[in-house]
């Protein structure tokens, strides 16, 4: 893969043939995916749509010592207001001196649509550099400047000669794609072009080479892994994974979320890139391999016992430490199984519906199954070859999963409401932004992720089991709220096929 010389990355519809509309069984989705036609599925009605600028911000607003310039009308990125508090708190967990979230909006209006917004962008960047003296200024390009033709790359190239901060353009215009995960490529494209690589930084005074120091550095690099985190991970998730890798005596660097811009400069000097989620990281990992020769591991997300074990074994195998990792896993799993006993007794036979990123929901399905639960349905934002590999693995290991219903779509809560009415799961495990809908149907909810909780690694299995048990032991909130709130759909919608508005006719 090599798009790095382009100003903008391709969209996922083109790069991966990603699918954004499907309804049927897991078995059918896997079958259709192998035929390669899923990307042609469409909707005859779409309730709402995700914007890649918003998702890009979820990663970029975590970067320490940066200023975000949102080049747009005032509404784009307005959700940052709600994120300022936790961004500051979680940045400080990594560095007590971190500033937290700082952002500027260029506030484009009707006059700028006629005259162009370039002057506003220019003055916003100069202001950000002189007022805050950050290490990086991240410029988010939105729909309006893209449509009126503001040349943000030329402005940035020009201003880079005058500013102390590194300026990173991110082309994340919402109208370009229906696959919101294109945001990850937009973010990594900007990072790869403007933060990674020694050639971007002024050379320090040459130091006379010390043979011993050089050998020591080479040794450290040969044991260094970049763990590519996601913004939905908690600090305790990170610590659990770092602890597991440190038990194998590996040196761990965690990128990109909550990293400092300088952390990217020599990130290509690592023995291995390790992904937490292929949906998130394939663009970065592939380019680091193409440009710098850094190999990568991208197969699964370390959620649940089976996937955490596979994740760890893959890394250990790369460093020739498989036997050592097997012993570590055996010891962890033995302790975990003893601790899970009372929770397994309570959770056995309980049913669940999962919604969120497809990689995360498929691996969480395996976790729930290992606790004795049954997954009735899943809902992923989109689907591509990385989802297919994990879905096949789930069906292989848990054959009854092939009957579970799966719905692919971003921003279609009416389809989900219909499905939940039919499936009536004991619990809904979903993206925190969408849990309210299920709650209004009287279904207890459990967040699929949360920056304050632990979900990953072996510790994550225990925490999910403990918190799920607590949620299911007292369901009075969901039982009461349904008496006072309702969703806005007519009753007759619930008697129809939930996938009535998905056009799958192109896939025979
Ligand atoms: S879709 Fe375009 S206009 Fe809407 S929030 Fe996203 S970038 Fe802004």
């Amino acid at each position: 893969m090599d798009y790095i010389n382009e100003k903008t990355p391709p969209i996922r519809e083109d790069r991966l043939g990603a699918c954004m509309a499907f309804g049927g069984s897991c078995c059918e989705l896997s079958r259709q995916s192998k035929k390669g036609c899923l990307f042609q599925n469409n909707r005859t009605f779409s309730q709402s749509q995700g914007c890649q600028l918003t998702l890009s911000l979820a990663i970029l607003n975590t970067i320490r010592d940066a200023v975000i310039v949102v080049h747009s009308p005032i509404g784009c990125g307005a959700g940052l207001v709600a994120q300022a508090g936790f961004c500051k708190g979680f940045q400080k967990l990594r560095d007590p001196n971190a500033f937290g979230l700082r952002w500027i909006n260029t506030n484009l209006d009707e006059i700028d649509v006629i005259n162009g917004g370039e002057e506003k962008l220019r003055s916003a960047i100069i202001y950000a550099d002189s007022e805050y003296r950050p290490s990086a200024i991240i410029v988010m390009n939105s729909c309006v400047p893209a449509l009126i033709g503001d040349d943000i790359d030329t402005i940035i190239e020009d201003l880079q000669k005058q500013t102390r901060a590194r300026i990173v353009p991110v082309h994340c215009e919402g109208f370009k794609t229906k696959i919101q995960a294109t945001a990850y490529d937009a973010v990594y494209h900007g990072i790869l072009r403007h933060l990674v690589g020694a050639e971007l930084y002024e050379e320090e005074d040459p130091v006379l080479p010390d043979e011993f120091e050089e050998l020591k550095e080479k040794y450290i690099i040969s044991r260094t892994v970049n763990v590519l985190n996601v913004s939905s991970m908690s600090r305790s998730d990170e610590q659990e994974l770092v602890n597991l890798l440190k038990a194998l005596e590996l040196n761990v660097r965690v990128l990109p979320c909550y990293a400092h811009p300088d952390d990217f400069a020599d990130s290509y000097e690592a023995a291995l890139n390790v992904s937490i989620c292929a949906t998130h990281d394939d663009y970065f990992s592939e380019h680091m391999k193409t440009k710098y020769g850094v190999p990568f591991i991208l197969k699964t997300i370390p959620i649940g016992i089976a996937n955490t074990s596979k994740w760890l074994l893959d890394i250990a195998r790369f460093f020739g430490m498989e036997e050592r990792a097997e012993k570590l896993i055996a010891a962890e799993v033995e302790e975990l199984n003893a601790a899970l006993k009372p929770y397994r007794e309570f959770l056995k036979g309980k049913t669940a519906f999962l919604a969120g990123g497809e990689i995360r929901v498929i691996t969480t399905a395996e976790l729930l199954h290992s606790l004795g639960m049954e997954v009735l349905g899943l809902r992923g934002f989109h689907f591509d070859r990385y989802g297919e590999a994990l879905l096949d693995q789930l069906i292989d290991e848990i054959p009854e999963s092939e009957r579970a219903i799966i719905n692919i779509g971003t921003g279609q809560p009416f389809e989900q409401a219909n499905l939940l009415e039919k499936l009536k799961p004991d619990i809904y495990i979903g993206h925190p932004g969408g849990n309210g809908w299920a709650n209004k149907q009287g279904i207890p909810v459990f967040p699929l992720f949360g920056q304050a909780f632990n979900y990953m690694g072996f510790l994550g299995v225990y925490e999910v089991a403990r918190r799920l048990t607590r949620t299911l032991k007292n369901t009075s909130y969901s039982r009461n709220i349904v008496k006072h709130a309702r969703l806005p759909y007519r009753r007759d919608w619930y008697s129809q096929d939930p996938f009535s508005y998905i056009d799958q006719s192109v896939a025979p």
Side-chain angles (χ1 to χ4, degrees), residues 24-32 391 395 401-404 406:
S25 67
C26 287
C27 171
E28 186 60 12
L29 178 60
S30 168
R31 197 175 69 81
Q32 297 285 1
L391 188 62
I395 293 171
S401 306
E402 68 177 16
R403 294 193 307 269
I406 189 160

Side-chain angles (χ1 to χ4, degrees), residues 51 53 76 142-143 172-175:
C51 161
L53 181 138
C76 305
S142 69
C143 297
C172 52
E173 306 85 0
F175 73 90

Side-chain angles (χ1 to χ4, degrees), residues 251-291:
N251 184 33
V252 185
R253 174 167 39 201
V254 182
L255 298 166
C257 297
Y258 299 103
H260 188 280
D262 294 347
D263 295 341
F264 294 97
D266 58 357
S267 56
Y268 62 92
E269 286 187 338
L272 184 67
N273 277 321
V274 175
S275 168
I276 296 298
C277 169
T279 286
H280 204 271
D281 301 322
D282 79 308
Y283 193 84
F284 183 76
S285 307
E286 293 270 10
H287 277 101
M288 288 286 267
K289 183 157 192 226
T290 307
K291 190 163 179 195

Side-chain angles (χ1 to χ4, degrees), residues 194-207:
H194 298 273
L195 291 181
V196 177
E199 70 278 7
L200 297 170
Y201 299 83
E202 279 175 26
E203 269 187 37
E204 288 175 8
D205 292 340
V207 180

